Amino acid sequence: MSTVRVFPDFQALSQAAAERIVELARQAIANSGRFSIALSGGSTPRETYKLLAAAPYVDAIDWSRFHVFWGDERCIGPDDARSNYGMAREVWLKHVPVPAENVYRMRGEDDPQQSAVAYAKVLQEYFDLPQVDAAPVPQFDLILLGLGDDAHTASLFPHTAALHEQFRWVVTNQSPAHELPRLTFTAPVINAARHVLFLVAGASKASTIADVLQGNYRPEELPAQLVRPTTGELSWYVEAVAAAMLDRKQLQVSP
Ligand code: 6PG
């Protein structure tokens, strides 16, 4: 079941997202001694990441038990302005005492296929799983996702083979609409998460999110529709201008 929370502006959305991340981190650390989060890239989560590097959020997390992964990455070096890792490091991770060994970067600078295989092994090791690219699948405490204007999420782009991957946990992908090849989680990993949280802002997303949440199921065109957590919770945090076309009667919309 998914819930949609609509926020009056981008700052309110970002603050609520930071609060939710702190809440889920505290729960996971209390339950299991650690918290695993996979970050999304793009521009929307940047403000949330910045908030987590400052009071009150920075003091509310035991960073020694906080483990950071990426749900997708552009195939470029970590110091390139387009790097999802680089963005999170600059506005957040270099400002908090998360141990370097708790930050699991996708190596965008290496051969994409090799990086995808290597990252799947990182997941196998962290989650202590018997084999790669098979069940049981890595189960993140939280996976953050964004929504592209074309309804992609992570780097699962419309009409790409990655949408149909049912075994491999991490694959390379490419889209003619995006300049760089990518590394991305596949749907099985995303749908295994305990919590999946989409952050959606901007008027340009209004028709896309309406199609995804209220339109016919057609994941080939609307890859974000693939996100249906098996047992986990799916939440959408949406800025009001992006929610303008949502029929709030149809959704579990909380103010
Ligand atoms: C990426 C992201 C991607 C992003 C959407 C939305 O690497 O670009 O992971 O999936 O979340 O494209 O991007 P914006 O937040 O910039 O709109």
Side-chain angles (χ1 to χ4, degrees), residues 35-108:
F35 174 65
S36 56
I37 180 173
L39 304 185
S40 68
S43 57
T44 302
R46 183 187 176 93
E47 182 59 25
T48 299
Y49 298 164
K50 279 177 70 175
L51 288 171
L52 289 166
Y57 309 107
V58 70
D59 305 315
I61 290 175
D62 179 350
W63 295 102
S64 70
R65 297 174 181 273
F66 200 94
H67 296 263
V68 190
F69 301 77
W70 277 260
D72 73 321
E73 184 56 279
R74 291 88 179 273
C75 293
I76 196 81
D79 299 322
D80 188 289
R82 296 164 290 181
S83 165
N84 290 340
Y85 160 81
M87 182 270 278
R89 179 192 60 195
E90 287 312 302
V91 304
W92 175 21
L93 299 177
K94 75 177 190 181
H95 305 289
V96 299
V98 61
E101 63 270 21
N102 289 20
V103 179
Y104 308 82
R105 175 175 76 84
M106 287 179 164
R107 292 183 57 84

Side-chain angles (χ1 to χ4, degrees), residues 177-252:
H178 300 270
E179 61 172 330
L180 295 170
R182 303 286 189 97
L183 296 164
T184 186
F185 281 2
T186 57
V189 174
I190 294 171
N191 287 328
R194 292 188 178 85
H195 300 272
V196 178
L197 174 57
F198 276 93
L199 306 183
V200 183
S204 71
K205 304 289 173 76
S207 60
T208 304
I209 193 171
D211 288 343
V212 168
L213 290 180
Q214 297 170 171
N216 296 331
Y217 184 66
R218 51 191 201 282
E220 198 68 22
E221 286 81 29
L222 305 171
Q225 290 185 328
L226 287 171
V227 179
R228 298 175 155 188
T230 313
T231 57
E233 172 198 76
L234 173 58
S235 303
W236 294 77
Y237 284 12
V238 186
E239 187 186 11
V241 288
M245 296 171 67
L246 292 184
D247 174 359
R248 302 198 180 183
K249 292 190 299 299
Q250 276 194 16
L251 302 166
Q252 297 260 348

Side-chain angles (χ1 to χ4, degrees), residues 134-188:
V137 173
Q139 185 174 37
F140 282 86
D141 292 307
L142 172 61
I143 295 181
L144 288 181
L145 293 175
L147 182 68
D149 291 347
D150 61 356
H152 82 261
T153 193
S155 288
L156 298 171
F157 298 114
H159 308 294
T160 56
L163 302 183
H164 307 287
E165 180 60 50
Q166 289 307 310
F167 298 101
R168 286 180 295 164
W169 299 341
V170 186
V171 295
T172 64
N173 205 12
Q174 178 106 47
S175 156
H178 300 270
E179 61 172 330
L180 295 170
R182 303 286 189 97
L183 296 164
T184 186
F185 281 2
T186 57

